[in-house]
Amino acid sequence: MTAASITDAQIVQLSAQSVAQMDQKNRIDTGAYQARLKKLLSNVKVDGLNLNFKVYQTEEINAFACADGSIRVYTGLMDVMDDGELMAIIGHEIGHVVHQDSKNAMKKAYMASAARDAIAAAGSVGAVSSAVLGDISEAFVSAKFSQKQEFAADEYGFEFAIANGQSPYSMATALEKLVNLSNGRQASAVAQMFSSHPDSAKRAAIVREKAKNYKK
């Protein structure tokens, strides 16, 4: 494997390794938060994905999804979202996986770091050191998606929430909360992926209009 090449299968493997290391570094909730998430997601299935969910105990308002199907939700996000809004955000993250955004973001994180040289030298994704995985994970979690990707993920989250018995307005109110939080006292806790996107208010308005026009 050359420094510039990595297959989709290797990206998925690298994603699984990266999230496993993040799991070790974060405090995993096994109480009420995990129980709430399990209740919401126990019957959720997405074709082609082996979804697995965990909750990180942190005040940061965030969630992310990896190409291997790992979904990680922060307690800070769960504290400010009702069940419908939480499902919409999780659906949004799953949308990034389904649309290959997460896989491409992981590939960019790999290509932009010294990790690609280390992986190329080792000849195997499985031989990556923890330090290298840490660099890739940090770059991945802080990655930004394009406006087009965010709109498509919002659409997926909108449909996902409805399909799982939630209000058509769940995606809109979730985005509206994130916009308000990023402009208020909790701005420092809102993840960069939410607070710095210039189109957050526009996105909220678009999905609210979709909710108004939604027909069963």
Side-chain angles (χ1 to χ4, degrees):
M1 181 170 63
T2 66
S5 67
I6 188 167
T7 67
D8 283 352
Q10 288 168 329
I11 285 293
V12 171
Q13 183 183 355
L14 190 60
S15 297
Q17 290 176 253
S18 296
V19 79
Q21 187 188 61
M22 285 188 277
D23 287 351
Q24 291 180 348
K25 290 185 175 181
N26 284 276
R27 187 177 178 185
I28 306 296
D29 182 83
T30 58
Y33 289 99
Q34 179 65 19
R36 178 188 174 195
L37 197 63
K38 183 178 180 180
K39 182 178 180 181
L40 285 172
L41 302 174
S42 59
N43 295 318
V44 171
K45 305 290 182 184
V46 178
D47 290 344
L49 290 179
N50 183 21
L51 297 178
N52 66 90
F53 305 88
K54 289 184 181 179
V55 178
Y56 287 173
Q57 290 187 349
T58 169
E59 292 182 357
E60 186 176 5
I61 299 170
N62 200 6
F64 67 87
C66 288
D68 69 314
S70 296
I71 310 294
R72 299 296 180 262
V73 184
Y74 296 19
T75 54
L77 179 71
M78 296 181 72
D79 283 339
V80 298
M81 298 290 169
D82 65 26
D83 286 352
E85 292 160 349
L86 184 58
M87 286 292 278
I89 292 294
I90 291 171
H92 174 101
E93 297 305 324
I94 293 174
H96 280 309
V97 179
V98 171
H99 300 150
Q100 306 293 308
D101 302 337
S102 298
K103 185 180 290 183
N104 291 331
M106 178 58 77
K107 186 171 185 178
K108 287 180 180 178
Y110 157 78
M111 292 295 294
S113 70
R116 63 178 185 169
D117 297 320
I119 292 173
S124 169
V125 172
V128 179
S129 69
S130 60
V132 169
L133 282 175
D135 290 342
I136 294 176
S137 301
E138 184 176 349
F140 171 77
V141 173
S142 61
K144 294 181 181 179
F145 296 114
S146 70
Q147 181 188 72
K148 182 178 180 180
Q149 289 172 323
E150 293 290 10
F151 285 160
D154 289 344
E155 172 80 16
Y156 192 96
F158 172 81
E159 298 289 350
F160 180 85
I162 293 171
N164 286 281
Q166 305 299 329
S167 167
Y169 287 91
S170 296
M171 189 78 251
T173 56
L175 288 173
E176 288 162 355
K177 278 187 178 179
L178 291 170
V179 171
N180 291 333
L181 289 167
S182 66
N183 292 326
R185 292 182 179 180
Q186 291 180 270
S188 61
V190 182
Q192 185 180 23
M193 63 177 285
F194 293 129
S195 64
S196 64
H197 203 291
D199 299 306
S200 295
K202 180 180 179 181
R203 289 165 52 199
I206 288 173
V207 290
R208 176 164 285 280
E209 189 63 24
K210 284 182 66 66
K212 287 180 182 179
N213 297 324
Y214 174 74
K215 295 180 180 179
K216 294 184 179 180

